[in-house]
Each structure stands twice: as C-alpha cells, then as structure tokens.
C-alpha cells in the first residue's frame, strides 16, 4: 500500500508514513500533567511541543486539570495538618470518585509541600487570566496559548 501511495518516488519519508498511517495520536493532556507534577522538565517540554500542534488541544482545559490536582493536594495537606493519617483519607476527601487518581496524587505529594502548592495555584490563576485576556493568537494558530502555558509553568518547575 505504501509503495502504491508513493509509486513514482524512490524514497519514502516519515511524513509519507504519517500521512498514510497516522501518527498514533498526539500525547494527551494527562501525560503533560504527569510530567509537570513529577517535575520532569524534559518530558514536559517534549509533550507540550506535540500537544501545541494539535488543533483540538485546549490550554484552558489543561490549566483546569492541573488546578484540580493542586486543589486536591491542598486538601491532602489540610487533612494531614489536622492530624488525619493518610490511610484514613478517602479518595472522596480529595475530590476523587476513584482510588487511582488519589493514590497517584498521594505518591507525588512529597514533591509538592503546601507552600509550593499555594504558589503554584497563584501562578495558575495568573495563567488562567492571561489565557482569557489574550486576544486572538498573534504568533500562530495554536502556538500563543501554549506558549503562555510553557512560560508560566516552567517558572514552577525550577532548574
């Protein structure tokens, strides 16, 4: 099939394969969120570059996803500050209906002490405002909003 697609060509490029077979989809915002929350700057930037090219990606949705995770971390820190042990904190106490996201969040909580979570929520608030107040993208169809996401979130990821 590929030979028929490029019948008159001697070489078949990666773009030819993508055109015929597809790319397998772009990374999902969940992957980007995990890279951010885990502090994996390399993975975050690589995934962000791919997601920014997806015309169906929605930066505000991603900001909302990360904000929810950080609010859940604040709930976890609040329960712990009141002396509740982690084993007694249910997924519902953290805003989840299923144990998997709660377990995942508890696992990364060491990277997110309460002061860092508070600061991050402030940065996300600023990012939300920037995304909502920025007029139609001037740098390219989908690049501007994701550029704002990159700029704001890299500040929180450190070196």
């Amino acid at each position: 099939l590929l030979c028929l697609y490029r019948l008159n060509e001697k070489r078949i490029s990666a773009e030819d394969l993508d055109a015929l077979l597809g790319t397998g989809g772009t990374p999902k915002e969940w992957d980007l969120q995990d890279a951010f929350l885990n502090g994996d700057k390399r993975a975050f930037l690589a995934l962000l570059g791919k997601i920014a090219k997806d015309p169906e990606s929605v930066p505000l949705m991603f900001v909302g996803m990360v904000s929810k995770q950080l609010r859940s971390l604040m709930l976890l820190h609040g329960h712990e500050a009141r002396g509740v042990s982690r084993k007694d904190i249910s997924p519902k106490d953290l805003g989840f209906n299923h144990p998997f996201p709660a377990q995942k969040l508890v696992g990364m909580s060491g990277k997110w002490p309460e002061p860092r979570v508070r600061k991050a929520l402030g940065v996300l608030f600023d990012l939300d405002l920037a995304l909502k107040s920025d007029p139609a993208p001037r740098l390219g169809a989908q690049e501007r909003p994701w550029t704002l996401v990159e700029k704001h979130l890299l500040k929180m990821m450190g070196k």
Side-chain angles (χ1 to χ4, degrees):
L1 189 58
L2 189 56
C3 292
L4 289 173
Y5 176 73
R6 298 299 282 174
L7 187 62
N8 296 327
E9 303 294 324
K10 292 183 180 186
R11 298 188 81 172
I12 296 171
S13 69
E15 290 80 17
D16 294 329
L17 287 171
D18 288 348
L20 189 63
L21 302 174
T23 60
T26 58
K28 298 297 174 215
E29 283 82 356
W30 299 109
D31 301 322
L32 185 63
Q33 174 183 269
D34 288 348
F36 170 72
L37 292 172
N38 286 315
D40 187 344
K41 190 183 279 189
R42 179 179 287 157
F44 176 77
L45 290 171
L47 291 165
L48 184 68
K50 292 176 182 175
I51 288 173
K53 293 176 186 171
D54 180 357
E56 295 185 22
S57 67
V58 181
L60 275 173
M61 182 185 79
F62 173 72
V63 171
M65 289 169 49
V66 174
S67 296
K68 177 174 184 338
Q69 294 298 307
L70 292 174
R71 285 190 305 271
S72 294
L73 277 168
M74 283 300 292
L75 289 170
L76 175 66
H77 290 308
H79 287 297
E80 289 180 332
R82 289 193 311 272
V84 179
S85 77
R86 286 191 177 183
K87 66 179 176 71
D88 294 329
I89 302 171
S90 74
K92 288 208 184 285
D93 292 334
L94 301 177
F96 298 109
N97 292 323
H98 193 275
F100 174 72
Q103 291 165 351
K104 194 171 174 181
L105 189 76
V106 168
M108 68 177 61
S109 65
K111 296 179 182 183
W112 289 92
E114 183 189 346
R116 184 174 183 213
V117 175
R118 286 183 183 280
K119 182 178 179 183
L121 286 168
V123 171
L124 287 171
F125 176 77
D126 292 341
L127 174 55
D128 183 80
L129 287 177
L131 287 168
K132 290 176 180 173
S133 64
D134 196 33
R138 292 180 292 275
L139 298 179
Q142 285 292 329
E143 292 177 5
R144 179 71 176 144
W146 286 110
T147 301
L148 288 170
V149 169
E150 178 181 341
K151 176 183 155 191
H152 283 76
L153 296 190
L154 281 179
K155 282 192 265 184
M156 287 188 282
M157 294 182 83
K159 295 177 180 166

